[in-house]
Every structure is written in structure tokens, then in C-alpha cells.
Amino acid sequence: MASHPTPTELRALWQELNARYFSNRLPGIAILWSAQLTASAGLFVNRAGPRHPDSSPDRRCIKLSLPLLGAQPRHELLGTLAHEMIHQRSEEHTSELQSQFRISYAV
């Protein structure tokens, strides 16, 4: 990847993964580049709390590390995005979720 994807391109990647692996069941969410996120490649942020019914985009988002992913190959970005989408689906690490995590490494 010569340069990092734009917010519109990130949204399209999210929609592609949502259709392919989640049957379009995930609600829309903001996908943001973060220059400050350096401890991990991606992060699912839930400002509402795990049991709060409000899933509006201003309460939840996926942040992607610009320093760690910005110049990486596309498959690295897709794997990280898929991984964070699994957290979007369920914040708990159940055995079912553990098997779904394999998706993010097969992308």
C-alpha cells in the first residue's frame, strides 16, 4: 500500500468484510485512523459500555493505528479490521469468538 486508505476507503473495506463474514449484521460504525494509537494495530472503542443498547456511531468506533498500519500491505489492514469487527460483534472472548478470530488471520 503506497499510502493509507481514506476514511471512505476504510468504510468500503468494513462493508466488504461485514458482508463476507458477518452477513451484514454489524451496525454501522466509524472507522478512524489514529496517530496516537501505537500500543496495538487496532482498537474497538465502546464509550457506552458492553451492555448498553446504544450502538450509535458516536458511542462506538474502530480505531486503526496510522503509525503501525499506515504503510503496511493491504492484508495487514484487513486482518486488523476484521479482528476489531469481531470485538464489535461481541466484546467477550468466548470459545465461539475464538474460532471466529481465525477469520481475521485468513483475510
Side-chain angles (χ1 to χ4, degrees):
M1 212 169 4
S3 64
H4 62 277
T6 66
T8 301
E9 291 167 333
L10 286 177
R11 182 74 183 152
L13 292 173
W14 181 92
Q15 290 171 329
E16 176 186 324
L17 293 173
N18 191 21
R20 186 185 312 164
Y21 296 112
F22 300 95
S23 302
N24 287 316
R25 291 187 180 148
L26 294 180
I29 191 170
I31 313 296
L32 310 169
W33 283 115
S34 172
Q36 293 78 31
L37 182 60
T38 58
S40 66
L43 181 67
F44 171 69
V45 178
N46 182 357
R47 294 183 196 101
R51 306 214 190 289
H52 196 282
D54 181 5
S55 62
S56 61
D58 63 327
R59 304 289 294 178
R60 298 175 184 195
C61 70
I62 292 175
K63 292 185 179 183
L64 299 171
S65 172
L66 187 55
L68 299 177
L69 288 173
Q72 292 299 313
R74 186 175 195 262
H75 73 273
E76 294 289 341
L77 173 61
L78 288 174
T80 300
L81 183 55
H83 181 100
E84 298 311 322
M85 290 171 75
I86 293 165
H87 284 295
Q88 179 186 357
R89 186 179 141 253
S90 174
E91 293 181 58
E92 298 175 16
H93 284 228
T94 63
S95 59
E96 175 195 356
L97 249 189
Q98 292 298 326
S99 66
Q100 184 122 30
F101 274 123
R102 292 187 192 109
I103 289 172
S104 64
Y105 299 103
V107 173

